[in-house]
Amino acid sequence: MPHHPTSPSSLLAAYAPGMSLIATPERTLLGEGALDTTDDLARVPEMLRGVRDAGWHRDPVAIGAVPFAPDAPAHLTVPAAVHTAPPLASARDAAEAAERRALPGPWKAEALPEPEEHRTAVQRAVQSLGPDLEKVVLARSLRLVGPGPVDAAQVLRNLAWRDPAGFTFAMNLPPRTELPGPRTFIGASPELLVAKRGGRALSNPLAGSRPRSADATKDQHNAVELLGSAKDRREHALVVDAVAEGLRPFCTRLDVPGEPELIRTATMWHLSTRVTGELADPDTPSVELARALHPTPAVCGTPTGAARDAISRLEPFDRGFYTGAVGYTDASGDGEWAVAIRCADISGDGLDLYAGGGIVEGSDPAEELDETSAKLRTLLLALGINRAL
Ligand SMILES: C=C(O[C@H]1C=CC=C(C(=O)O)[C@@H]1O)C(=O)O
């Protein structure tokens, strides 16, 4: 991977729509232009070899986004120029305060489905649980339209500095047919689908959530309650088991901690497990691991097929790239792929925000609605909106 010693804030400042940026706990990466593009994650290693063999780039990197639906096109590009910098968390400095600014309103909001309908969908999902469907993740979306073109670069900087330890991204996508002009898939995900470096693989499944609270006592109470919740631990274990099963065929050794830990973002507490493995073949491309894992029960459910069917029955919108994956890989297969959550799809004056939650036996519709509202706050706060919509 090319090395351009620079600071993460200078890459955030250089970002403009049409480019792609991803900031991870390992590095910050900005891609400009396109030497080649594919809509198929499986073809990424071949695309990287092609670019290298043609002499267009000695050390090419592919960066992009994969949708939730298996038959929908991905968008993965080998940029003409890739700039890298250390991780954001290493550089919380004066830039942080200077670069954060609210976007101008007012915003017109339209919920799809309406909150009441989401509660009903959760209720229906709970009723359809049983031996054939143990868990399903149900989501809702919120369309916001502002007074002018949404400033994606400002949203990105706001997201980055609020959650510098996660995976912050802005991916350039082909325009939507109904909304011409630049399209940016943007977000700050706390969840690592898979990273591969040399002979080691790492995944960090999250599932089981409580909102953060501005009140320190309540915040602590939420965290303790989450860690002790049998329902959330069940919901979490289904994801960890699926990730371990997905990685096992590739690994000679797999370490799966028996107990989840708590992690926090600016808006949420989550149960988290770090699964690490030693790869039988250190040349296994990270995209192959991502394909084997996606979609985990953190975004779809268990078993996958029945959960997908329930999602298409109960969700009244197309998820697009939400609950897909975003990331990058180099030609040696080393790379990082985050689960595409806490995100929005920006085109023109509007954006679509998304949030979902895992439904298992014992899930409560009102609590699930509140959880999605809390998850939507990641993007709402990045727009400068500090209230529920
Ligand atoms: C599907 C989402 O979150 C997933 C990741 C962490 C916790 C989750 C949960 O507790 O339900 C979800 O599985 C989302 O944020 O839209």
Side-chain angles (χ1 to χ4, degrees), residues 301-316:
T302 315
T304 307
R308 269 195 201 285
D309 291 347
I311 290 167
S312 38
R313 239 184 6 256
L314 293 167
E315 280 181 6

Side-chain angles (χ1 to χ4, degrees), residues 19 85 134 192 221 253 304:
M19 302 178 186
E134 268 188 276
L192 174 67
H221 173 266
R253 198 186 57 78
T304 307

Side-chain angles (χ1 to χ4, degrees), residues 72-345:
H75 188 70
L76 299 137
T77 293
V78 179
V82 173
H83 311 279
T84 65
L88 286 172
S90 69
R92 298 193 72 168
D93 52 22
E96 177 181 349
E99 289 177 0
R100 266 163 71 164
R101 213 171 319 121
L103 273 74
W107 296 92
K108 248 184 30 218
E110 194 188 324
L112 186 67
E114 289 293 339
E116 185 49 44
E117 293 168 78
H118 184 70
R119 273 202 295 261
T120 307
V122 171
Q123 211 164 12
R124 292 217 177 103
V126 172
Q127 283 159 359
S128 59
L129 295 173
D132 298 333
L133 181 62
E134 268 188 276
K135 170 176 176 178
V136 58
V137 177
L138 279 193
R140 63 189 185 100
S141 75
L142 186 63
R143 171 145 192 86
L144 297 182
V145 179
V150 179
D151 184 351
Q154 188 60 54
V155 179
L156 176 69
R157 290 192 289 270
N158 294 348
L159 284 169
W161 293 122
R162 196 178 293 273
D163 273 308
F167 299 83
T168 304
F169 57 89
M171 296 292 166
N172 179 45
L173 293 181
R176 290 173 160 191
T177 31
E178 72 282 14
L179 290 166
R183 175 182 178 193
T184 307
F185 183 51
I186 202 160
S189 169
E191 184 164 8
L192 174 67
L193 178 64
V194 71
K196 181 255 167 190
R197 182 110 9 246
R200 290 182 62 76
L202 166 67
S203 177
N204 184 197
L206 306 180
S209 309
R210 290 290 183 283
R212 299 292 310 278
S213 170
D215 175 78
T217 315
K218 173 88 176 104
D219 197 38
Q220 207 48 41
H221 173 266
N222 288 356
V224 171
E225 188 192 70
L226 174 61
L227 198 57
S229 156
K231 182 219 96 166
D232 286 276
R233 279 177 175 252
R234 264 201 330 274
E235 182 182 332
H236 184 75
L238 290 172
V239 190
V240 175
D241 290 351
V243 166
E245 227 174 275
L247 286 180
R248 194 160 281 121
F250 297 95
C251 293
T252 51
R253 198 186 57 78
L254 198 64
D255 182 18
V256 188
E259 287 285 310
E261 301 171 327
L262 280 173
I263 64 142
R264 64 184 152 192
T265 70
T267 59
M268 300 301 294
W269 288 103
H270 292 300
L271 295 180
S272 155
T273 299
R274 288 170 76 84
V275 177
T276 51
E278 242 149 62
L279 293 166
D281 176 3
D283 292 330
T284 310
S286 58
V287 298
E288 204 174 319
L289 301 174
R291 288 177 63 228
L293 296 179
H294 172 72
T296 79
V299 294
C300 185
T302 315
T304 307
R308 269 195 201 285
D309 291 347
I311 290 167
S312 38
R313 239 184 6 256
L314 293 167
E315 280 181 6
F317 62 95
D318 176 2
R319 288 189 176 189
F321 286 84
Y322 163 66
T323 58
V326 290
Y328 69 91
T329 176
D330 65 17
S332 78
D334 285 0
E336 296 176 273
W337 297 89
V339 180
I341 51 175
R342 318 297 146 79
C343 55
D345 195 334

